[in-house]
Amino acid sequence: MIRLNNIHKSYEMGSNSLHVLKGIDLNIEQGDFVSIMGSSGSGKSTLLNILGMLDNYDKGTYHLSGNLIANMSEKKAAKYRNDMVGFVFQSFNLISFKNAMENVALPLYYKGVPRKKRNQIAMEYLEKLGLKEWANHMPSEMSGGQKQRVAIARALISQPKIILADEPTGALDTATSYEVMEILKEINASGITVIIVTHEHDIAAMTRQIIRLKDGLIHEIIRNGELKQFQKNYMKELETA
Amino acid sequence: MFDLDLWNEIISALKKNRLRSFMTAFGVFWGIFMLIIMSGAGKALENGVLDGVKAFATNSAFFWTERTSIPYEGFQRGRRWNYENTDIQYILENVKEVEYLSPRLFGNQQAGNNTIRGERTGAFNVYGDYPDYFKIDRWTPVKGRLINEIDILQERKVCNIGERVVEVMFAKDEDPIGQYLKVSGVYFQVVGIIHAETEINIGGGKKEETIIIPFSTMQTTYNYGNVVHFFSVTSKPGTKVSDLEDKLKTILKNRHKVAPDDLQAIGSFNIEKEFLKFSALFLGIQVLTWIVGIGTLLAGVIGVSNIMLVIIKERTQEIGIQRAIGATPAVVIKHIVAESVFLTVMAGYIGLSLGVGVLELLNQILLNANSSGDGMFFRNPEVNLTMALSALGVLVVSGIIAGLIPAKRAVSIKPIDAIRDE
Ligand SMILES: Nc1ncnc2c1ncn2[C@@H]1O[C@H](COP(=O)(O)OP(=O)(O)O)[C@@H](O)[C@H]1O
Ligand SMILES: [Mg+2]
């Protein structure tokens, strides 16, 4: 469902230009559970943002469900985002002056769903994520794990085809990180494509496909079968570290 | 259509930014408040001044004689001359544009105390007038009656006196009506106490110190012959009094062998001209009020726009998030503009109400300070509805503009840059 062909992306900063993605070719199918790895600054977030239509690319083609994503009006992009993708961010990015339920319901507001209806749906999602009692709490009253679950509920409520998560566990402790990964696994099990960015091997190892970025290119793709090997190597890396 | 969700969004966003919302609102509040106060004060000045003259017939003109300045038909320049009774006849019969004509004689005003009653003496302005005079410069009888046509015909020795004359010539508990005053040696019976409705003064002196006697009586009693000192006329509806003024001047010059091009021989003025001057003055004040008021308002609006820019900048990330989860630029713009309009209109409305309130209070204080309302040059500060409404209209439009600029900016950056913004 995602087809990237020779994607390039540079950031212009004054007179210099930083070439971050130097020709990415990538196919991701419906139902995949993918992690993007790579050292800091290798372009993981950049790639994810392009996938989520939050940022544009300079060269190449990006097809999403057969549609070419290029030079779209912001209105159209907004509609695609609302219909196709749900975002989960490292820093949660909840609206601080709205409670959990209102935050979750927000994407439906932009879709024009009446208030009662969308709040009811938001409650269902909060319940699924074990946050029913927290529906009327403000983000500032919740722990990191709870906030991330609210963010996931918000990403899910518009029933997207893809969940994009940029370091969803980056701000969480290990136990909470694993809880969040369990939730993402369940989401993936329901048929939704999940793509996460992470630099933690143990988190990546919970996905079914790992894409390693290096020098603006895909360095290697580790698929389901090879994951065991990856995990072994990873353990070794840990021991030697 | 009323969009409850939109309102919820706006209110919660404004609540979140309480201080800034308040500051934003204050500029606009102050602008409209000042506009209301200034225009109310200008209006009050206008009311105060115009009340003093509005009872005066605006279609009136006045004529007196001066020495001639051009030799004509055998007369030297510098000749003294007077109008005469035949002029009255002639004008009334031949000049159809004249509505009222009232000749006047001025009594001897340099004579010091010209009025005596027993022990009491006083120096007053004595005029001989026709009853029509009261229609041109309005006087109302406080007690008794005005001089009438029969007084003129029978040359009765009666008089109308001003309030100050009553004070000076009569004890507090005396009723002046029916009593006699000796004016320049002749006894006149008081038939009415009169009050001037206007503060326009013809002939000098205070209006309360006036004694009016019938024109004909004055002419015969004091041996003025057929001399007339002064004419007051009003023009019929449809005739400009300025035109009538010119026409009468020509006629009078012709009848008295005064050179047609002698500009000095007839002194005259008409109230219409004076009124136009006043009107221009007050129009000037109103225009000035608007310019200053709108300037202040504009400054307020620019302030709103600026503060909205800051607010939007601070909320860049929030807006980025909203866009990431499906808010279209149109929705974002709608919210920001609605927020801005809501703020400006709210602030404007409060400014409007408070401004009106303050003017009302001022009015009450003024009324209490001077219950008669006479002689006040600051009266009835009032706000006109048109102005209030157009100010509100300006506010809505400016609120839209103030919101539109930062809103456009907010959606012009890529959502990801907005989200990254810390
Ligand atoms: N908006 C931007 N402007 C300029 N440079 C940027 C911008 N975003 C990212 N970069 C740079 O591009 C490189 C890749 O960034 P990013 O995709 O965030 O890396 P990662 O997520 O893998 O750490 C980094 O060197 C970063 O500094
Ligand atoms: Mg990153």
Side-chain angles (χ1 to χ4, degrees):
Chain A
M1 78 177 318
I2 289 173
R3 301 265 173 277
L4 295 183
N5 184 20
N6 192 29
I7 291 289
H8 286 258
K9 171 77 183 175
S10 302
Y11 289 112
E12 310 292 335
M13 284 171 303
S15 53
N16 342 6
S17 146
L18 182 65
H19 203 173
V20 178
L21 301 181
K22 300 174 179 168
I24 302 284
D25 295 304
L26 180 64
N27 289 341
I28 295 173
E29 302 307 329
Q30 178 73 51
D32 278 359
F33 191 7
V34 180
S35 55
I36 301 170
M37 290 197 74
S39 57
S40 180
S42 58
K44 306 182 291 291
S45 297
T46 303
L47 179 58
L48 197 77
N49 293 333
I50 289 173
L51 291 178
M53 295 163 283
L54 291 176
D55 207 344
N56 48 14
Y57 53 92
D58 302 331
K59 217 178 118 185
T61 54
Y62 167 25
H63 286 91
L64 177 62
S65 296
N67 301 309
L68 178 66
I69 306 297
N71 301 326
M72 274 189 305
S73 72
E74 182 45 41
K75 185 179 169 193
K76 206 167 157 203
K79 185 169 165 27
Y80 266 111
R81 280 198 291 271
N82 204 328
D83 290 346
M84 298 288 290
V85 295
F87 291 96
V88 177
F89 302 93
Q90 176 175 0
S91 50
F92 324 123
N93 285 346
L94 300 178
I95 306 288
S96 60
F97 55 89
K98 290 178 182 296
N99 67 28
M101 180 183 70
E102 290 164 340
N103 261 289
V104 173
L106 206 51
L108 295 185
Y109 168 64
Y110 298 127
K111 277 192 167 174
V113 178
R115 185 182 179 72
K116 254 209 180 118
K117 181 98 181 286
R118 64 173 195 261
N119 282 347
Q120 180 201 327
I121 299 173
M123 284 307 288
E124 286 168 22
Y125 277 88
L126 281 174
E127 195 172 359
K128 268 186 208 167
L129 289 158
L131 285 170
K132 201 179 165 195
E133 285 72 36
W134 293 82
N136 293 316
H137 284 73
M138 303 307 271
S140 58
E141 300 162 349
M142 291 188 274
S143 71
Q146 286 169 329
K147 280 193 256 193
Q148 198 58 300
R149 278 186 284 163
V150 172
I152 292 171
R154 185 178 66 183
L156 287 173
I157 197 165
S158 51
Q159 296 182 302
K161 303 259 184 320
I162 311 165
I163 292 283
L164 298 174
D166 195 346
E167 312 238 15
T169 62
L172 306 176
D173 61 56
T174 312
T176 320
S177 296
Y178 286 3
E179 277 172 36
V180 166
M181 284 310 288
E182 279 310 313
I183 294 166
L184 290 176
K185 263 187 196 170
E186 279 171 37
I187 290 167
N188 176 245
S190 75
I192 297 173
T193 310
V194 178
I195 304 173
I196 68 170
V197 162
T198 183
H199 58 265
E200 297 166 89
H201 289 83
D202 53 338
I203 297 296
M206 291 178 206
T207 64
R208 295 205 310 228
Q209 183 178 339
I210 299 172
I211 294 161
R212 292 179 71 118
L213 291 185
K214 200 178 172 188
D215 298 328
L217 289 168
I218 294 180
H219 179 62
E220 64 175 326
I221 298 180
I222 303 163
R223 293 185 194 286
N224 217 357
E226 305 150 28
L227 265 175
K228 282 209 177 67
Q229 186 58 39
F230 169 75
Q231 272 159 343
K232 239 184 253 165
N233 291 349
Y234 165 62
M235 295 308 273
K236 242 187 249 161
E237 270 175 44
L238 273 189
E239 279 161 18
T240 54
Chain B
M1 205 196 75
F2 185 77
D3 184 348
L4 187 66
D5 286 325
L6 179 64
W7 283 107
N8 276 323
E9 291 291 309
I10 291 169
I11 301 289
S12 54
L14 288 178
K15 265 193 196 153
K16 162 118 192 293
N17 305 282
R18 245 173 247 262
L19 179 65
R20 244 171 244 102
S21 306
F22 173 77
M23 301 213 309
T24 309
F26 190 78
V28 169
F29 160 80
W30 191 245
I32 197 121
F33 180 74
M34 287 312 288
L35 180 64
I36 296 292
I37 294 289
M38 283 195 312
S39 106
K43 194 74 190 159
L45 194 64
E46 184 175 335
N47 287 341
V49 173
L50 287 188
D51 269 10
V53 296
K54 76 177 177 212
F56 212 102
T58 51
N59 58 337
S60 53
F62 305 87
F63 305 85
W64 60 97
T65 60
E66 302 278 357
R67 293 166 78 155
T68 59
S69 63
I70 296 174
Y72 190 64
E73 295 208 0
F75 288 107
Q76 299 280 309
R77 68 189 288 267
R79 170 171 68 105
R80 293 178 191 277
W81 62 287
N82 280 306
Y83 305 128
E84 291 169 2
N85 287 353
T86 50
D87 295 329
I88 306 173
Q89 232 63 46
Y90 182 86
I91 292 170
L92 287 177
E93 278 166 19
N94 295 292
V95 187
K96 295 281 164 286
E97 296 94 323
V98 170
E99 186 184 32
Y100 300 119
L101 173 74
S102 175
R104 164 175 270 196
L105 279 169
F106 293 105
N108 191 353
Q109 260 140 63
Q110 276 78 45
N113 286 347
N114 55 5
T115 308
I116 302 167
R117 177 173 176 259
E119 301 280 279
R120 295 168 185 267
T121 58
F124 301 113
N125 313 312
V126 183
Y127 305 114
D129 279 321
Y130 264 44
D132 276 352
Y133 186 71
F134 300 118
K135 292 174 182 160
I136 298 170
D137 178 8
R138 285 238 330 271
W139 294 74
T140 47
V142 179
K143 203 165 183 202
R145 62 168 179 88
L146 296 172
I147 304 270
N148 61 30
E149 295 293 341
I150 299 168
D151 297 328
I152 299 282
L153 279 176
Q154 302 185 349
E155 300 183 5
R156 285 179 175 166
K157 293 197 174 65
V158 293
C159 66
N160 284 157
I161 57 176
E163 287 133 323
R164 178 77 189 140
V165 180
V166 176
E167 271 173 44
V168 174
M169 303 308 292
F170 295 91
K172 274 214 169 65
D173 53 351
E174 274 181 302
D175 181 4
I177 306 294
Q179 303 290 318
Y180 288 88
L181 291 176
K182 194 175 173 191
V183 180
S184 298
V186 180
Y187 283 95
F188 287 86
Q189 189 181 30
V190 176
V191 291
I193 300 166
I194 54 176
H195 171 77
E197 291 296 318
T198 79
E199 279 145 34
I200 291 182
N201 205 336
I202 290 164
K206 293 200 177 111
K207 280 194 141 172
E208 305 84 60
E209 298 177 352
T210 296
I211 298 177
I212 295 180
I213 60 181
F215 176 82
S216 53
T217 315
M218 187 149 174
Q219 221 174 25
T220 40
T221 309
Y222 298 107
N223 296 318
Y224 281 106
N226 59 0
V227 163
V228 176
H229 287 151
F230 188 87
F231 280 119
S232 310
V233 299
T234 59
S235 62
K236 279 188 179 148
T239 310
K240 279 186 65 180
V241 71
S242 304
D243 296 342
L244 179 61
E245 183 186 355
D246 292 341
K247 183 168 181 179
L248 287 178
K249 273 166 114 172
T250 310
I251 291 172
L252 288 168
K253 280 179 189 169
N254 184 36
R255 287 175 59 80
H256 293 275
K257 298 195 163 48
V258 173
D261 54 345
D262 191 335
L263 296 178
Q264 280 180 24
I266 294 185
S268 76
F269 75 98
N270 75 66
I271 294 290
E272 190 182 58
K273 236 187 259 166
E274 306 302 311
F275 242 73
L276 286 177
K277 275 186 215 158
F278 267 127
S279 303
L281 174 68
F282 292 119
L283 186 71
I285 292 178
Q286 288 286 331
V287 168
L288 199 70
T289 303
W290 272 97
I291 291 174
V292 174
I294 286 176
T296 317
L297 205 61
L298 205 70
V301 169
I302 292 171
V304 173
S305 195
N306 259 328
I307 296 172
M308 285 305 283
L309 265 174
V310 175
I311 292 180
I312 299 311
K313 192 151 168 41
E314 293 216 334
R315 280 163 52 188
T316 303
Q317 197 186 23
E318 174 194 321
I319 291 167
I321 297 164
Q322 290 172 344
R323 290 170 69 194
I325 60 179
T328 58
V331 167
V332 172
I333 290 172
K334 187 168 109 183
H335 276 205
I336 295 172
V337 169
E339 225 176 284
S340 160
V341 169
F342 178 74
L343 259 188
T344 33
V345 170
M346 271 285 284
Y349 184 74
I350 294 172
L352 205 74
S353 318
L354 218 67
V356 171
V358 166
L359 285 182
E360 195 49 47
L361 203 72
L362 204 65
N363 199 11
Q364 288 303 321
I365 292 170
L366 286 175
L367 283 181
N368 290 343
N370 186 344
S371 46
S372 76
D374 275 4
M376 283 205 327
F377 283 105
F378 196 84
R379 194 180 299 177
N380 263 331
E382 57 191 33
V383 189
N384 68 41
L385 192 67
T386 336
M387 196 195 67
L389 288 182
S390 33
L392 216 62
V394 169
L395 278 181
V396 173
V397 173
S398 46
I400 291 175
I401 295 169
L404 214 53
I405 296 165
K408 286 269 187 205
R409 252 180 69 143
V411 295
S412 69
I413 53 175
K414 282 183 294 187
I416 187 59
D417 293 333
I419 294 173
R420 270 209 212 96
D421 187 275
E422 290 298 335

